Amino acid sequence: MSKESEDVLKRKEQELENTLLHYLTTRKLTLLEDASHKFSLTTKDLVEKIKKLEQQDRVSGVFDERGKYLFIEKKEWDSVRNYISAKGRLKKSDMMTECAKIIKIPD
């Protein structure tokens, strides 16, 4: 592969990552199957790309067992951490209630 071809592939990969990053952060809650179709990727490849973005500290969130990814902003993580620090020991139900207040998912 020529240097020029490698550069083109790197640029396309960077464009895909930037587009995916924008997609995840503007939607907040992403259905992985829908996103994989949009980006012409397998769901497995999409998950790998999201994990790569997380390793680069470009995005942060959680995957659920139903095939969704929830983007969580730094300020939301900070609020959750502060809540846990202030409360100390707490019940799972209290934690879930507080997270639902902190992490806003648009309709």
Side-chain angles (χ1 to χ4, degrees), residues 75-105:
K75 66 181 181 180
E76 292 169 328
W77 281 122
D78 290 345
S79 294
V80 170
R81 184 187 67 242
N82 292 339
Y83 175 76
I84 293 169
S85 294
K87 292 290 184 180
R89 217 173 153 152
L90 49 104
K91 293 186 270 179
K92 182 179 176 181
S93 60
D94 293 340
M95 180 66 185
M96 291 174 56
T97 300
E98 189 64 22
C99 284
K101 291 177 191 174
I102 294 170
I103 302 168
K104 301 296 182 203
I105 301 172

Side-chain angles (χ1 to χ4, degrees), residues 43-98:
T43 303
K44 181 181 175 184
D45 287 341
L46 176 69
V47 168
E48 291 303 316
K49 292 207 178 294
I50 295 171
K51 287 180 179 180
K52 180 181 174 185
L53 290 171
E54 287 183 332
Q55 289 171 347
Q56 296 170 340
D57 289 327
R58 296 178 68 195
V59 71
S60 181
V62 293
F63 293 94
D64 79 358
E65 71 281 355
R66 296 171 299 190
K68 297 176 186 172
Y69 180 78
L70 175 62
F71 166 69
I72 301 175
E73 296 177 37
K74 182 180 179 338
K75 66 181 181 180
E76 292 169 328
W77 281 122
D78 290 345
S79 294
V80 170
R81 184 187 67 242
N82 292 339
Y83 175 76
I84 293 169
S85 294
K87 292 290 184 180
R89 217 173 153 152
L90 49 104
K91 293 186 270 179
K92 182 179 176 181
S93 60
D94 293 340
M95 180 66 185
M96 291 174 56
T97 300
E98 189 64 22

Side-chain angles (χ1 to χ4, degrees), residues 7-46:
D7 289 344
V8 169
L9 286 176
K10 285 181 183 177
R11 273 196 309 275
K12 285 187 177 187
E13 180 67 20
Q14 188 63 43
E15 287 174 15
L16 174 62
E17 287 179 2
N18 290 337
T19 304
L20 177 57
L21 181 63
H22 182 263
Y23 186 87
L24 294 171
T25 58
T26 57
R27 281 177 175 62
K28 190 75 170 169
L29 183 64
T30 299
L31 298 172
L32 297 173
E33 187 175 330
D34 292 350
S36 66
H37 289 293
K38 176 174 178 47
F39 291 100
S40 301
L41 298 168
T42 65
T43 303
K44 181 181 175 184
D45 287 341
L46 176 69

